């Protein structure tokens, strides 16, 4: 059977019908806007009438007569008052408008989608929170989720942001493996890509899961309000620490909760180890520590990567050296070990004499090592000692000698860290994406939050000694000489750099040459004469020349016996302390 065509009005007038509907909808919206006050007052009058009718129905019959008499008396009084009816009408309209206003709908419970999500999460927890021997299980397949879940909150997308769970007492909440399974399940079922915090109440058998907001990344390097011996490693959650530091960020001035690391003789965590992935921000952390340490101490930097990340600190006041080669690193660390021993000896002698420690032993010395494993590979290939072996003395005795060691390494080279570094670095930091197992291997404890796979540079976890594991965001301290650095961060770092040291050439001495005459051991031996010229631009090299017999006679007062030409001894070191005697001729 052939299909009959549509009527002309239906086939050709669809555009006109749509336009007519749009005009009607616009007119209705305009009328609603114009009549909105009238609609509001009408809604309020209906509510007043309903309230009056309910009050009249609730009034006993024996009291209805007096009530009517009282109302009539009030109406009469208002009618006899000047402008009474007008004022009463205005008051009635105002009350009606107040009662008829539109109020936001208060949500009293979860909707169908949220209930379905809670039921699914409840069913997923049944195998972990139930046993067959339990006569009245709190978690059972097909059970009621409201008995196990207390407080719950959802965001605009319908995902959980907070959930309070009551679990049975026989659950092994004291075992880290059992708790990790529950946290992993809740993380997967509640939505990935966010950082969750789990607070276990073993005494009350309750678990609170909450979504943590991202730590701010707008805080750059700056002068933090701290005392000497305190270093701001970064910033964390407000309820995790008890101290805040005023900072200047892109959003203005605020008080940010800071992770403060204390060093010095009374510190229980005198040295620090930072581990991270490439590009995680460990180098920025070391730059931030160096900038905070320079106003009160001296800094020694050894860069194993050799990428020039610390070139901005070269030649600055307080920076003793910035080494990236193997020979320079070995010489610098050897000097640091001897300096630590010297400070210990000087401080011990001062204490035995009942005097305060010398001033040069109380100035903090910071040793910053970035990627020491690379230098270890080079040293092993060249047959030279590992630079980490020279850190044993500063690590073991650095707290007493005011020497602090900070080591930064990557995850793929942590097995190259020496035993002294692993033992004496009690302050630990993990930056960048890492698994809970990697974090626990470095910090010694699992974090209370779920790490996310993608984090900005400088984001991680910190633990000082045996304290709790804290979330951490390192202040932005990039290399100011890097082209990819923003102008704001570049100026922030440049303003914190000390002035460069003035380098002057050594002056040439104008003193007369020093003549040293060594008396022979026996009369048969000829005298040995050594003459040293004054030091010139190079202090390490000195010339030895032969003097004439007249000069010897001038010095000794007698002429030497006839003998072969005097021997000239080569000078093997710095000149001894002798009385300068001018030479003649």
């Amino acid at each position: 059977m052939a299909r009959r065509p549509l009527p002309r009005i239906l086939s050709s007038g669809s555009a006109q019908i749509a336009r007519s509907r749009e005009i009607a909808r616009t007119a209705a919206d305009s009328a609603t806007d114009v009549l909105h006050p009238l609609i509001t007052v009408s809604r309020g009058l209906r509510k007043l009438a309903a309230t009056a009718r309910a009050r009249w129905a609730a009034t006993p019959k024996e009291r209805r007569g007096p009530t009517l008499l009282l109302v009539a008396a009030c109406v009469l009084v208002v009618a006899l008052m000047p402008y009474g009816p007008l004022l009463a009408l205005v008051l009635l309209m105002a009350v009606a408008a107040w009662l008829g206003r539109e109020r936001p709908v208060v949500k009293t419970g979860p909707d169908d989608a949220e209930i379905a999500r809670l039921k699914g999460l409840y069913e997923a927890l049944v195998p972990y929170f139930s046993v067959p021997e339990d006569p009245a299980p709190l978690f059972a397949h097909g059970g009621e989720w409201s008995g196990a879940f207390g407080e719950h909150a959802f965001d605009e997308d319908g995902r959980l942001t907070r959930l309070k769970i009551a679990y049975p007492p026989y659950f092994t909440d004291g075992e880290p493996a059992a708790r990790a399974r529950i946290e992993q399940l809740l993380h997967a079922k509640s939505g990935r890509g966010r950082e969750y915090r789990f607070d276990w109440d073993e005494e009350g058998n309750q678990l609170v899961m909450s979504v943590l907001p991202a730590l701010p990344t707008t805080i750059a390097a700056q002068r933090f309000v701290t005392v000497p011996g305190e270093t701001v490693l970064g910033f964390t959650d407000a309820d995790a620490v008890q101290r805040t530091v005023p900072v200047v960020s892109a959003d203005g001035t605020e008080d940010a909760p800071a992770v403060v690391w204390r060093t010095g003789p009374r510190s229980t965590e005198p040295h620090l180890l930072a581990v991270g992935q490439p590009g995680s921000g460990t180098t920025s952390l070391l730059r931030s520590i160096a900038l905070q340490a320079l106003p009160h101490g001296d800094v020694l930097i050894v860069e194993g990567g050799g990428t020039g990340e610390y070139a901005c600190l070269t030649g600055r006041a307080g920076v003793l050296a910035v080494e990236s080669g193997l020979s320079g690193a070995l010489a610098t660390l050897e000097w640091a070990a001897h300096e630590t021993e010297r400070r210990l000896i000087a401080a011990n002698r001062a204490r035995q004499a009942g005097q305060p420690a010398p001033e040069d032993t109380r100035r903090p010395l910071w040793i910053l090592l970035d990627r020491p494993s690379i230098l270890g590979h080079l040293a092993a290939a060249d047959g030279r000692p590992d630079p980490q072996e020279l850190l044993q003395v500063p690590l073991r005795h650095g707290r007493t000698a005011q020497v602090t060691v900070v080591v930064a390494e990557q995850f793929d080279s942590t097995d190259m860290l020496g035993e002294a570094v692993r033992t004496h670095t009690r302050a630990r930091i993990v930056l960048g994406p890492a698994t809970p197992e990697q974090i626990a291997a470095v910090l010694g404890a699992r974090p209370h939050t779920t790490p996310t796979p993608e984090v900005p540079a400088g984001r991680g976890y910190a633990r000082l000694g045996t304290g709790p594991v804290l979330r951490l965001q390192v202040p932005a301290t990039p290399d100011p000489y890097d082209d990819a650095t923003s102008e704001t961060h570049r100026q922030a770092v440049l303003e914190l750099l000390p002035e460069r040291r003035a380098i002057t050439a050594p002056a040439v001495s104008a003193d007369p040459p020093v003549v040293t005459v060594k008396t022979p051991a026996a009369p048969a031996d000829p005298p040995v004469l050594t003459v040293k010229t004054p030091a010139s631009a190079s202090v390490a090299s000195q010339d030895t020349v032969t003097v004439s017999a007249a000069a010897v006679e001038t010095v000794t007062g007698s002429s030497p016996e006839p003998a072969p030409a005097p021997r000239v001894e080569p000078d093997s070191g710095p000149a001894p302390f002798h009385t300068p005697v001018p030479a003649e001729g």
Side-chain angles (χ1 to χ4, degrees), residues 351-366:
R351 284 194 297 268
Q352 291 180 357
Q355 299 177 356
E359 184 65 27
D360 59 348
T361 64
R362 289 182 292 177
R363 182 172 175 81
L365 174 62
W366 293 74

Side-chain angles (χ1 to χ4, degrees), residues 67-88:
T67 302
L68 287 175
L69 182 60
L70 180 60
V71 172
C74 292
V75 171
L76 181 60
V77 171
V78 171
L80 295 177
M81 289 178 57
Y83 305 102
L86 180 60
L87 294 177

Side-chain angles (χ1 to χ4, degrees), residues 248-270:
V248 178
S249 63
D251 302 331
T253 305
E254 59 181 353
D255 291 337
V259 180
V260 180
W261 175 39
R262 295 174 177 85
T263 57
R266 294 178 177 83
S267 173
T268 57
E269 305 88 19

Side-chain angles (χ1 to χ4, degrees), residues 65-153:
T67 302
L68 287 175
L69 182 60
L70 180 60
V71 172
C74 292
V75 171
L76 181 60
V77 171
V78 171
L80 295 177
M81 289 178 57
Y83 305 102
L86 180 60
L87 294 177
L89 181 61
V90 172
L91 180 61
L92 179 63
M93 293 297 104
V95 173
W98 176 259
L99 293 178
R101 72 187 189 280
E102 294 182 357
R103 300 177 183 179
V105 180
V106 179
K107 188 177 180 180
T108 58
D111 54 16
D112 296 339
E114 295 172 354
I115 291 176
R117 185 180 289 272
L118 291 174
K119 286 183 178 180
L121 187 59
Y122 175 84
E123 293 292 337
L125 291 173
V126 169
Y128 301 94
F129 285 154
S130 63
V131 293
E133 297 81 7
D134 191 354
L138 184 61
F139 286 82
H141 291 292
E144 183 61 33
W145 60 268
S146 59
F149 295 162
E151 303 175 6
H152 51 79

Side-chain angles (χ1 to χ4, degrees), residues 395-415:
L395 286 171
R396 292 180 180 178
H397 308 287
R399 180 172 61 179
T400 306
Q402 293 279 4
V403 178
T404 303
V405 179
V406 181
V407 180
E409 193 53 82
Q410 295 183 2
F411 274 110
D412 54 0
S413 303
T414 52
D415 55 345

Side-chain angles (χ1 to χ4, degrees), residues 407-476:
V407 180
E409 193 53 82
Q410 295 183 2
F411 274 110
D412 54 0
S413 303
T414 52
D415 55 345
M416 298 294 296
L417 294 176
E419 185 65 26
V421 175
R422 297 173 179 268
T423 303
H424 297 282
T425 52
R426 292 175 49 84
R428 301 288 182 89
I429 291 179
V430 175
L431 297 180
T435 62
E437 291 75 16
Q438 290 177 324
I439 298 175
V442 176
L443 302 183
R446 294 176 62 91
H448 296 288
T449 61
T450 55
T452 55
E454 296 181 1
V455 293
R459 177 73 56 82
Y461 297 90
R463 190 186 186 198
L464 303 180
T466 58
V469 179
L470 306 174
R471 292 203 305 164
L472 181 71
Q473 177 62 52
V474 177

Side-chain angles (χ1 to χ4, degrees), residues 36 41 76 194 209 223 279 318 349 354 367 388 457 461 506 512 519 529 531 567:
H36 180 71
V41 172
L76 181 60
R194 299 183 297 175
M209 180 192 69
R223 292 293 181 202
R349 289 177 178 174
I367 305 175
Q388 296 186 53
Y461 297 90
T519 307
L529 307 180
V531 178
R567 298 194 309 271

